[in-house]
């Protein structure tokens, strides 16, 4: 290919003019996206502390089972799980930032290309539905059943664990409202 064709192709791929103009996210959507990222932090910190062998209140056979692997592969597991949850929550920020409409250049294969709205909306909406369902299930009895087990943390340890995991209930609804705003802003331009 000639240099002119390569330059034209690159310019088309990387210029913001190749992407339809989208109004900026409202302030409330940006705050909701940031809050989404924060919903996973307390449980991640609790899980990582648990993974490194900090006594978090488990007793009996449950404590013995976990003690075999922490520190060890159990530590790696909880660190990776916490990092994955945080990374997935961070993707919500893309729904209110420019990199949610044009993939950052450093991403292999798709860098600099426009993000098709449905490629972001469909997984975000599915994620929101799943997370909201899990949050409702936890609030309507799942959590209390787990905490009623004899080996589960009780007293202050149980309260700390509950407070660490409670923000996760907001993850699904927050992702949902940010997704609806993203859809409203990006799909109406088509």
């Amino acid at each position: 290919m000639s240099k002119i064709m390569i330059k034209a192709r690159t310019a088309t791929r990387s210029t913001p003019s190749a992407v339809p103009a989208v109004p900026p996210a409202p302030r409330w959507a940006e705050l909701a996206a940031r809050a989404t990222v924060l919903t996973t932090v307390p449980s991640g910190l609790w899980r990582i502390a648990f993974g490194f062998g900090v006594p978090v209140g488990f007793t009996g056979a449950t404590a013995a089972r976990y003690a075999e692997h922490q520190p060890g592969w159990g530590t790696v597991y909880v660190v990776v799980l916490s990092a994955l949850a945080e990374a997935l929550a961070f993707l919500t920020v893309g729904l209110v930032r420019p990199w949610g409409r044009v993939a950052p250049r450093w991403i292999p294969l798709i860098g600099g290309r426009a993000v098709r709205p449905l490629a972001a909306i469909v997984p975000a909406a599915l994620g929101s539905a799943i997370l909201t369902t899990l949050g409702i299930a936890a609030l309507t009895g799942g959590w209390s059943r787990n905490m009623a087990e004899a080996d589960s943390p009780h007293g202050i340890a149980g309260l700390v664990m509950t407070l660490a995991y409670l923000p996760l209930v907001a993850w699904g609804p927050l992702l949902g409202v940010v997704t609806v705003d993203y859809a409203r802003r990006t799909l109406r331009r088509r």
Side-chain angles (χ1 to χ4, degrees):
M1 271 196 270
S2 73
K3 287 183 182 182
I4 295 172
M5 288 179 69
I6 292 172
K7 283 185 180 181
R9 189 178 201 190
T10 305
T12 303
R13 190 173 98 150
S14 63
T15 58
S17 62
V19 179
V22 174
R27 179 92 173 123
W28 65 264
E30 289 200 24
L31 292 173
R34 289 180 190 162
T36 300
V37 175
L38 297 177
T39 63
T40 60
V41 172
S43 60
L45 293 174
W46 184 92
R47 214 174 6 256
I48 289 169
F50 174 58
F52 278 97
V54 173
V56 293
F58 285 105
T59 59
T62 303
R65 185 176 66 235
Y66 289 128
E68 293 176 23
H69 306 291
Q70 296 166 333
W73 73 263
T75 306
V76 173
Y77 171 74
V78 296
V79 169
V80 169
L81 179 62
S82 298
L84 179 63
E86 193 62 36
L88 289 172
F90 184 72
L91 288 175
T92 307
V93 175
L95 300 175
V96 297
R97 306 302 302 157
W99 54 269
R101 293 186 309 274
V102 178
R105 292 184 116 348
W106 56 266
I107 298 177
L109 303 176
I110 64 167
R113 294 185 184 196
V115 174
R116 293 180 185 205
L118 289 178
I121 294 167
V122 171
L126 286 173
S128 173
I130 291 167
L131 290 168
T132 301
T133 302
L134 290 173
I136 290 169
L139 288 176
T140 59
W143 186 257
S144 60
R145 265 193 312 277
N146 288 340
M147 295 304 285
E149 293 180 11
D151 291 352
S152 293
H154 296 303
I156 296 295
L159 178 64
V160 169
M161 183 176 169
T162 300
L163 291 176
Y165 277 87
L166 191 58
L168 287 176
V169 174
W171 185 2
L174 286 169
L175 174 56
V177 297
V178 174
T179 302
V180 168
D181 173 68
Y182 178 85
R184 179 189 58 80
R185 289 182 299 110
T186 59
L187 293 178
R188 77 174 179 185
R189 296 288 186 203
R190 306 224 171 254

